[in-house]
Amino acid sequence: MSKIVLSLERCKGCHLCVSVCPTKALTPSGELGEKGYETVRVDEEKCVQCGSCYRMCPDYVIEIL
Amino acid sequence: MKCSVPNGVNTSAHIGWCPGCGHGIIARLVAEAAQALGIEDRIIMVEDVACGEFAQNVLQFNSIGAAHGRPIITAAGAKRVRPDAIVIAHPGDGSAYSIGMESTIHCALRNENILALVVNNSVFGMTGGQMSPTSLPNMKTTSSPHGRDVTKNGNIFDAMKVLSQLDIAYLARGSVESPAQVIKTGKMIQKALEKQMNNEGFCLVEVLSPCPTNWNLTPQEALEFMKEQEKYFQLGEFVDKGGK
Ligand SMILES: Cc1ncc(C[n+]2csc(CCOP(=O)(O)OP(=O)(O)O)c2C)c(N)n1
Ligand code: SF4
Ligand code: SF4
Ligand code: SF4
């Protein structure tokens, strides 16, 4: 079974991933990450592993492994 | 669906682009195409003095830092002395269509066997968002604070209209405005690299890309603005010649 993995230390809080997620599995986390931006959190139950967030993330945070 | 960051991207590097900048997505597409074709060791990226050059940190390929406006002509020189290398010039719209316009046109006229990957964010990004030849009519920039007036500042430059008249191997425009467009753009880049491997000649792929910082928009608003950009800059393949 593949799994969505977030390397949030690289996240710059652009939330492009949130905008393109078709199932609203990704949401703003309300917490600041290492870079000082608001990161994201994923609800794995809702994630259909479509890869849209991987494609749009400019900082290589998201993978489906 | 498995999606892993391609080997060519060094994820522990400092990624210098602003939040929501399209440059990072486009750099990843280059690395994905290189991995799919198994040519990572042969790539030479030719960077500009502009925002695209942060790719030198991120992409683990050989690279040259050209002067501003000169990545395309420098790439042509690199390819002539290293014909086995796969050479990718990586300028912005300001570089390729303003200060470096003559390099772009003459390299196309000579059908130099390189890929010019032009990142079109409709402004001079690195220097603070001045108007570029691809700023939209009425677009407010730091050097057109009341909006671009085409009667005074000239019409916008559409590279597809001009270069499609020339005898080149491949000409296409993609966008990173949505996941679907990102996939299409990745295919364009890969196709252009295959053409270079087959010695077919000059390939130019322009990619519409958001610059939230200089558009004075949030990353989400910048994606919306890209729909305006796409009204002026048609997406698709404009030249696609068969192999020699
Ligand atoms: C010969 C020369 N002229 C001007 C500059 C200043 N300069 C640096 S980047 C740039 C424009 C950048 O815009 P673009 O090429 O569209 O790339 P972007 O940063 O938007 O990706 C300019 C004018 C320079 N570095 N060298
Ligand atoms: S797209 Fe990437 S950098 Fe932007 S918020 Fe999502 S995970 Fe963070
Ligand atoms: S893989 Fe698709 S469904 Fe899962 S979080 Fe990313 S965009 Fe949402
Ligand atoms: S200024 Fe614009 S093009 Fe340059 S890194 Fe920032 S968002 Fe990207």
Side-chain angles (χ1 to χ4, degrees):
Chain A
M1 247 295 271
S2 47
K3 190 177 179 333
I4 182 164
V5 179
L6 308 184
S7 302
L8 288 174
E9 69 281 2
R10 289 198 286 280
C11 177
K12 292 197 194 127
C14 65
H15 297 169
L16 293 184
C17 56
V18 175
S19 303
V20 301
C21 176
T23 64
K24 299 193 164 47
L26 283 162
T27 47
S29 69
E31 285 160 21
L32 298 186
E34 272 180 41
K35 292 198 177 284
Y37 299 106
E38 186 188 14
T39 57
V40 291
R41 71 162 64 92
V42 63
D43 180 344
E44 284 183 41
E45 296 289 303
K46 286 191 188 161
C47 174
V48 294
Q49 305 190 346
C50 66
S52 294
C53 52
Y54 163 83
R55 293 201 170 80
M56 291 303 285
C57 177
D59 290 275
Y60 323 119
V61 170
I62 305 174
E63 292 183 288
I64 300 165
L65 300 174
Chain B
M1 182 190 297
K2 296 257 186 212
C3 296
S4 46
V5 176
N7 298 331
V9 168
N10 177 7
T11 51
S12 55
H14 172 66
I15 305 168
W17 296 295
C18 307
C21 175
H23 271 295
I25 303 172
I26 297 163
R28 197 197 68 238
L29 291 179
V30 172
E32 284 178 350
Q35 185 164 311
L37 298 170
I39 53 171
E40 285 125 312
D41 293 346
R42 293 169 64 192
I43 296 231
I44 300 177
M45 296 293 295
V46 186
E47 299 294 347
D48 195 84
V49 182
C51 290
E53 74 180 325
F54 293 129
Q56 270 186 323
N57 296 343
V58 168
L59 293 178
Q60 317 200 74
F61 303 138
N62 288 316
S63 66
I64 299 172
H68 176 55
R70 299 293 172 269
I72 295 179
I73 190 83
T74 306
K79 183 71 183 182
R80 285 182 181 211
V81 295
R82 294 280 181 92
D84 293 335
I86 301 298
V87 185
I88 305 174
H90 189 209
D93 51 299
S95 169
Y97 307 145
S98 191
I99 188 172
M101 178 74 109
E102 89 297 345
S103 299
T104 307
I105 302 274
H106 285 280
C107 285
L109 286 169
R110 291 193 299 268
N111 205 20
E112 300 280 359
N113 188 27
I114 57 161
L115 166 60
L117 177 62
V118 181
V119 178
N120 178 359
N121 56 22
S122 289
V123 283
F124 288 1
M126 177 160 272
T127 44
Q130 294 82 5
M131 181 172 56
S132 83
T134 55
S135 300
L136 308 187
N138 304 316
M139 184 171 168
K140 287 185 178 154
T141 70
T142 45
S143 57
S144 60
H146 302 294
R148 179 186 188 133
D149 177 350
V150 291
T151 65
K152 292 200 184 95
N153 307 129
N155 283 309
I156 61 172
F157 179 69
D158 183 343
M160 303 298 126
K161 283 188 187 157
V162 174
L163 297 178
S164 59
Q165 307 305 310
L166 304 183
D167 194 14
I168 60 177
Y170 188 62
L171 180 67
R173 183 185 282 126
S175 167
V176 298
E177 160 261 311
S178 65
Q181 293 300 346
V182 170
I183 293 172
K184 281 191 190 163
T185 303
K187 287 185 181 153
M188 289 170 178
I189 294 170
Q190 186 168 330
K191 191 170 185 178
L193 293 177
E194 281 171 309
K195 284 174 180 282
Q196 185 176 153
M197 292 164 82
N198 295 332
N199 295 315
E200 289 176 40
F202 189 78
C203 298
L204 186 142
V205 176
E206 181 187 300
V207 186
L208 303 183
S209 178
C211 173
T213 301
N214 288 304
W215 292 357
N216 290 306
L217 299 175
T218 65
Q220 281 69 29
E221 291 166 344
L223 287 192
E224 283 303 308
F225 185 74
M226 290 187 76
K227 299 202 175 104
E228 287 300 305
Q229 221 189 357
E230 286 173 7
K231 286 184 192 156
Y232 290 92
F233 297 113
Q234 199 191 332
L235 305 181
E237 295 182 311
F238 298 84
V239 176
D240 186 4
K241 294 248 172 77
K244 271 187 199 163

